[in-house]
Amino acid sequence: MDLDLIFLVGLVFLPLAFVALVSAWADRRRPWAALILLVIGVGVAGWAYVQNPGGYDWREIPHLTLETIARYWRR
């Protein structure tokens, strides 16, 4: 699995963590699912960021997303 895909999968977990946090807050529950999703998202995206020699810039994430989808679409 390439680092671009791993980075993007980690970034997908972050909005899910926010949704889980809001849901837990609305239901007056402890946000365990949000915490787990946040740790997974930051951990996976951070690991891919550190392993990539040039790192990632926030401005290139849309291009990186389209490039990664196109790379796996062609297979």
Side-chain angles (χ1 to χ4, degrees):
M1 204 177 249
D2 68 279
L3 293 175
D4 296 341
L5 181 62
I6 293 172
F7 181 73
L8 292 174
V9 167
L11 290 184
V12 166
F13 280 104
L14 298 179
L16 295 175
F18 178 73
V19 170
L21 178 69
V22 170
S23 174
W25 176 71
D27 292 340
R28 298 180 190 265
R29 293 181 283 118
R30 291 196 173 118
W32 291 112
L35 180 65
I36 291 169
L37 287 170
L38 182 69
V39 168
I40 290 172
V42 169
V44 170
W47 179 78
Y49 181 82
V50 170
Q51 293 296 319
N52 190 5
Y56 294 101
D57 187 17
W58 288 105
R59 291 173 288 183
E60 66 183 34
I61 289 176
H63 177 68
L64 177 72
T65 303
L66 292 176
E67 184 179 287
T68 305
I69 289 171
R71 190 175 333 130
Y72 282 96
W73 188 275
R74 285 186 273 167
R75 289 186 181 182

